Amino acid sequence: MIAKFEEELPLYSLSSSDAARQSELLSYIAKITEGETDMKSRSKTGRKNEGCFDKITVVGAGDLGIACVLAVAAKDVADKVVLLDLSEGAAKGGTMDLEIFAVPNVEISKDFSASADSKVVVLTVNSLGNAQTYLDVIQSNVDLFRGIIPAVSHYSQNAVLLVASHPVEVMAFVSWKLSSFPKSRVIGVGANLDSERFRYILTNLLKTEVLAKDAWVIGEQGEDKVPSWTSCNVAANQTEAVAAHNSREKVANRAMEVLKGKGQRSWSVGLSVADLVDSILKDKRKVHSVSTLAKGCCNINSEVFLSLPCILGSSGVIEMVRLEEDPLVQDKMQSSAGSIHDLQQQLKL
């Protein structure tokens, strides 16, 4: 997991002046926990027609947060997007540019009350520090979330929390615990992007459209992700079944090799987030591979979040899609669950 974190770190870094902005963010969160910010609930009747809008909030104004805002705006997914910039410094970089060029239906705010009545809250903020261990960095994220999650949950009590913060499996678990939301309304971006790329590679590069239809990438982000299928073709006999499985495995391995060469930049993750938000807001009942509570799946007995194919709608995860049984996949899923659970046990919530 440490190697994975170091490899993917640039995607989740703050846009500029990391140390200074981290200090500002910690200062702001400290004020929240001390009760210095206004946490008074607004009356719904006092906001004109706001309840009719498909409103979302993106928390965090780093590269990833801004990419999410632009992707949602470009795809015209929501009626209103609130970008919560939690640093106390003056507007810089992308945040300032959003104000200068007046992106339609986008509001930039430093006040959690601006997020009130959001249907989806996207969490992109991350803590970065110098000379810290992997566990220290994650604990810093947890400390930030202690202030953020209760605040956004207070103002948007029926929202779906969509976690893009790193590592997504752990931070989705933390968000679930801190929000006290039902498990269906806390999801991570997970392997949605990898799954879409995987199926694209199968269909357009390897010309195996039949296989691509039910293909997914599941598990945890990084090198431990694994391909899987939600259904299988019925073979006439065992020999044909073995041959079909071996053929599919070879194709899947080729596709995964191609997939490894594709980096995850902020704009690509932003497009993936917009895709998920669209399915939720429009109640599309579309299947996505997202981080969800995996307890009970693949003989996993611990409370961990892993990417699994799920039907998404306005209330979040409506149903988990049954995977084809594969002992190798189950072993990898159980291994990921074990390492994530061990890490979670070391965190102070």
Side-chain angles (χ1 to χ4, degrees):
M1 291 186 75
I2 294 177
K4 174 189 69 176
F5 177 78
E6 291 175 345
E7 177 185 352
E8 296 183 352
L9 189 59
L11 168 61
Y12 298 97
S13 60
L14 298 175
S15 57
S16 61
S17 306
D18 290 343
R21 293 196 65 187
Q22 175 61 20
S23 178
E24 294 167 359
L25 187 53
L26 286 170
S27 174
Y28 189 83
I29 297 301
K31 290 181 179 179
I32 295 174
T33 58
E34 291 169 5
E36 294 183 16
T37 56
D38 177 18
M39 291 288 291
K40 294 181 180 179
S41 179
R42 292 182 175 184
S43 170
K44 292 185 179 180
T45 57
R47 292 185 299 275
K48 183 179 179 181
N49 295 329
E50 197 162 308
C52 300
F53 289 154
D54 281 339
K55 173 182 176 181
I56 77 162
T57 292
V58 176
V59 182
D63 289 342
L64 180 56
I66 292 173
C68 291
V69 169
L70 292 176
V72 170
K75 292 174 69 69
D76 195 24
V77 171
D79 298 316
K80 182 177 183 180
V81 182
V82 175
L83 175 62
L84 279 182
D85 181 2
L86 302 184
S87 65
E88 291 188 316
K92 301 176 184 178
T95 305
M96 182 174 65
D97 293 339
L98 288 177
E99 292 182 335
I100 291 172
F101 294 102
V103 178
N105 303 320
V106 174
E107 174 188 348
I108 302 170
S109 178
K110 295 179 179 293
D111 190 340
F112 276 102
S113 65
S115 69
D117 298 322
S118 293
K119 293 184 178 180
V120 180
V121 176
V122 183
L123 296 142
T124 71
V125 67
N126 284 274
S127 167
L128 294 177
N130 296 322
Q132 290 183 314
T133 66
Y134 181 58
L135 180 62
D136 289 336
V137 174
I138 298 177
Q139 184 62 56
S140 295
N141 264 1
V142 173
D143 295 340
L144 292 179
F145 272 46
R146 277 204 203 103
I148 294 171
I149 299 300
V152 296
S153 301
H154 171 79
Y155 283 112
S156 301
Q157 297 179 10
N158 297 311
V160 174
L161 301 183
L162 178 56
V163 183
S165 299
H166 190 81
V168 65
E169 297 85 11
V170 176
M171 298 317 297
F173 168 80
V174 170
S175 299
W176 175 52
K177 287 296 185 182
L178 293 176
S179 67
S180 297
F181 279 9
K183 63 181 182 180
S184 61
R185 289 201 283 118
V186 181
I187 60 178
V189 294
N192 183 60
L193 175 59
D194 282 329
S195 289
E196 294 298 329
R197 286 174 167 178
F198 184 55
R199 287 200 295 272
Y200 180 89
I201 292 167
L202 289 173
T203 300
N204 296 283
L205 301 185
L206 302 182
K207 308 300 181 183
T208 54
E209 186 174 356
V210 174
L211 289 180
K213 181 181 178 182
D214 300 306
W216 302 94
V217 175
I218 62 172
E220 61 177 310
Q221 282 189 340
E223 295 180 357
D224 294 323
K225 59 196 173 192
V226 58
S228 186
W229 275 261
T230 51
S231 68
C232 60
N233 294 323
V234 179
N237 53 58
Q238 187 175 359
T239 302
E240 288 186 8
V242 171
H245 182 274
N246 291 340
S247 176
R248 188 183 68 180
E249 187 174 6
K250 289 180 181 179
V251 173
N253 289 338
R254 289 173 60 194
M256 291 298 286
E257 284 300 316
V258 176
L259 186 61
K260 286 181 180 179
K262 305 296 181 183
Q264 291 198 3
R265 297 296 178 258
S266 56
W267 62 267
S268 56
V269 178
L271 288 171
S272 177
V273 166
D275 182 42
L276 295 172
V277 170
D278 186 45
S279 287
I280 295 169
L281 291 182
K282 296 180 181 177
D283 198 26
K284 283 189 169 182
R285 310 298 175 102
K286 181 181 175 182
V287 182
H288 297 269
S289 182
V290 292
S291 302
T292 187
L293 188 64
K295 186 176 182 180
C297 177
C298 299
N299 294 321
I300 295 171
N301 297 317
S302 53
E303 291 184 336
V304 296
F305 279 64
L306 289 169
S307 286
L308 291 163
C310 298
I311 300 173
L312 295 187
S314 58
S315 58
V317 174
I318 296 173
E319 182 182 349
M320 192 182 299
V321 179
R322 185 179 179 85
L323 289 168
E324 174 186 321
E325 293 186 7
D326 186 326
L328 292 178
V329 170
Q330 290 202 5
D331 288 346
K332 290 183 179 180
M333 292 288 283
Q334 290 172 12
S335 176
S336 291
S339 62
I340 292 171
H341 182 258
D342 290 344
L343 180 59
Q344 289 173 176
Q345 293 295 102
Q346 301 177 65
L347 298 173
K348 299 175 183 177
L349 296 181

